[in-house]
Amino acid sequence: MAGLWTGAAALATAGRRGQRWPQPLMRSVALWTVKYVPHYSRRHLVVSRALCSAGYDSNEKTFDKILIANRGEIACRVIKTCKKMGIKTVAIHSDVDASSVHVKMADEAVCVGPAPTGKSYLNMDAIMDAVRNSGAQAVHPGYGFLSENKEFAKRLAAEDVIFIGPDTHAIQAMGDKIESKLLAKKAKVNTIPGFDGVVKDADEAVRIAREIGYPVMIKASAGGGGKGMRIAWDDEETRDGFRFSSQEAASSFGDDRLLIEKFIDNPRHIEIQVLGDKHGNALWLNERECSIQRRNQKVVEEAPSIFLDSETRRAMGEQAVALAKAVNYSSAGTVEFLVDSEKNFYFLEMNTRLQVEHPVTECITGLDLVQEMIRVAKGYPLRHKQADIPINGWAVECRVYAEDPYKSFGLPSIGRLSQYEEPMCLPGVRVDSGIQPGSDISIYYDPMISKLITYGSDRTEALKRMEDALDNYVIRGVTHNIALLREVIINSRFIEGDINTKFLSDVYPDGFKGHQLTETERNQFLAIASSLFVASQLRAQHFQDHENSRVPIVKPQVASWELSVKLHDGIHTVVVSSSWPTFSVEVDGSKLNVTSTWNLASPLLSVNIDGTQRTIQCLSREAGGNMSIQFLGTVYKVRILTKLAAELNKFMLEKAAEDTSSILRSPMPGVVVAIPVKPGDLVAEGQEICVIEAMKMQNSMTAGKTGKVKSVHCKAGDTVGEGDLLVELE
């Protein structure tokens, strides 16, 4: 083991200096991930077991230098494989990303413009200059941005620079949803009924929708990632959907063309990973279950799918390969299907790039998809046959976002990560991220913090490891969606595999409210919170009684503490007695024993409650007795007072809640797109009065009641923060 640590340290040093890794080391650490976690002035080397173990042939020459035309976690992901293959890397970045992790990981870095994506990561002229000046022989586009832009691929080809992806014909054919659907039909791939042309305007959209029959899906022809997609159930929603989808499509892809097709209610979203080379070979690398979504964007993915049988899997895989071969596809790509309850499947779209959720496929197949993309781009044939592709174990991925899950299952949050620790100490855990303590989550880019992946011998083990990983994930400074992710993976319907794309709205029809504590869990939580309170009191007493204290204070020995604990709207009487490090706690008549190290400075605290192990996070602890504790993924606020303090607190006045029925505040940070009202206008309840764009998604804000507009506090183009006042009604 000592030799492994020495080798890993040498490997990391070589990678940090931009040197080519020694070949013996490259072989010996093929199963290990080396990661730098900058922390103030020190560097901590974290070496952890990787979840995919694709080997690398050092005699197989590919490229000397690759430019990564992306940012964040996917740029870091590509750089890791390049380092494994001995390839130097060039990062591009906007001015606000100058200190980002992907910039620090790369051997070289080039600024390509200011923060807005159109002026930096979508700025082809600046990126082409970076390619020329760096001498990069190839470009990996990651996903999003220019990854499916045929013009970018053409410009690279004109400069004799390799685009690490399919050729422009495949990008054109599969990137256009209209053309791809026609090609799929020709390749005998099952397709969804719909209109196979471009929708000209809202009136035509309504006419087509009526012909197809409601509900319909309106979506961007050139898009992906859930952007530019709307479901319409009637004519009015079709008109609104046409407007918003075309605006989002223009903003995200520079192409506002839309198409309409039949919306299949309650389907599963299952996709097939394909891999092709330039020699006519193509494979399908099993499926990924991606049905847990909100606003057409995936939240939890897994491989394989619990729903598919081997016959359906093979049929989907063969159709996916048939489509790939129909366009001479040569790279990693994904064919997405909608699957109904009878296992009928319909082609949705093909993404001609690396998918966000590719790690779960890597886990169950052992392939490094980035490495395969680089090999194929260089012209090497695939190393595997279809019979060689295994399903080995089970993998689950949770997309950890800077979002408030209590608002529409996740509206974006911004801020600076004041504290950040990934749960890499746990077995079977992989984290793909591009951030560090101090990183900013801004309004300019996708709010993803990381992709958290767990692997197990079966689904039960993978899910249990995910539960533990989410409990041990420390994220401070931004609102995040850990609570929602944890609730999904422990939900009985999810565990049984009873899921579809409407899972979240079906399970939480009134919106996500966090974990609902059972009586046993509530008592455990109250016992833990009370023990934390007493432990902090004992620590304070220890400091006060120290022999060097300037003011000697002698505290009487307290046998027990009688406390009043407020949780939600309930007040509970709790009695705590200490036999350090165990507290005996009586909660509403139930007796529990709580044991821990009680290290109050640690962001994580492992607590044993009568044999049940829990990992909690104490987010805040105030002198007035208020505490915020993350327990079972959800943050609970409690107020703990001694019996005397509780009696006196009855005389304190409560702050009156703000009446929000006459005002509209921004639910998220973003940019105001439109304000269709002015002072003096009469508006009806539910009428649109403001449109805000956040992370390339447009959100319609409506009036909470009928009334007259008193004042408007913003204008189109303004940047607003969460909670900013937008419109007031009389």
Side-chain angles (χ1 to χ4, degrees), residues 572-586:
H572 307 266
T573 298
V574 179
V575 179
V576 182
S577 56
S578 173
S579 177
W580 192 273
T582 298
F583 291 103
S584 297
V585 186
E586 185 174 335

Side-chain angles (χ1 to χ4, degrees), residues 218-282:
I218 303 167
K219 58 185 181 181
S221 176
K227 296 180 175 64
M229 298 176 67
R230 288 289 191 282
I231 300 168
W233 295 80
D234 54 39
D235 291 355
E236 183 181 353
E237 289 187 1
T238 299
R239 293 183 185 278
D240 288 343
F242 181 89
R243 176 164 62 98
F244 285 122
S245 291
S246 59
Q247 290 172 353
E248 288 176 2
S251 174
S252 297
F253 315 113
D255 185 343
D256 64 357
R257 293 176 304 141
L258 302 177
L259 72 154
I260 299 179
E261 61 190 19
K262 180 70 177 176
F263 175 67
I264 299 175
D265 203 11
N266 298 323
R268 288 173 179 263
H269 186 135
I270 300 177
E271 59 193 29
I272 301 292
Q273 176 72 59
V274 295
L275 182 64
D277 62 22
K278 300 180 186 298
H279 305 275
N281 303 306

